[in-house]
Amino acid sequence: MSTRRRVVRADPQQVWRVLADGWLYPLFVVGASRMRDVDDSWPAPGSRLHHSVGAWPALIDDITEVLECDPGSRLRLSAHGWPAGRAEVELRVTARPEGA
């Protein structure tokens, strides 16, 4: 398992708004090159993003599905990446302690 931390100069609500807008997925996910569709219920559990990975003309259509969602703080995804397989990804949004 790999863990990455990223400090973003934005408040948690601003970060969550980006994560909750499935159309912005390629802006923060490496390899996702375009969006084909976003379920209306995104980011509710079971909802899906329909995206493509790779570079034209070798685009592969795939999906990412929400496994769990704690609105405003946590999003757990199953990211498919055929033919490589799939990965579970957990995104947590927390405020940075003051003075840190």
Side-chain angles (χ1 to χ4, degrees):
M1 181 161 100
S2 177
T3 300
R4 301 284 184 258
R5 295 183 193 279
R6 171 72 60 136
V7 175
V8 178
R9 293 188 187 275
D11 65 52
Q13 295 81 12
Q14 291 171 312
V15 173
W16 185 258
R17 278 195 297 272
V18 171
L19 296 176
D21 184 344
W23 290 101
L24 300 178
Y25 188 73
L27 297 178
F28 62 89
V29 175
V30 174
S33 55
R34 70 178 175 136
M35 295 304 301
R36 299 184 337 271
D37 195 19
V38 176
D39 288 0
D40 290 337
S41 57
W42 179 267
S47 63
R48 293 179 168 189
L49 297 176
H50 307 267
H51 54 82
S52 299
V53 296
W56 190 89
L59 290 173
I60 298 172
D61 292 343
D62 230 320
I63 62 162
T64 293
E65 181 177 354
V66 177
L67 300 174
E68 294 178 51
C69 178
D70 298 323
S73 64
R74 183 165 123 355
L75 191 57
R76 194 165 72 90
L77 308 171
S78 175
H80 298 240
W82 186 91
R86 69 179 195 87
E88 285 195 17
V89 178
E90 185 169 347
L91 302 165
R92 292 179 181 257
V93 178
T94 59
R96 191 172 185 184
E98 288 193 35

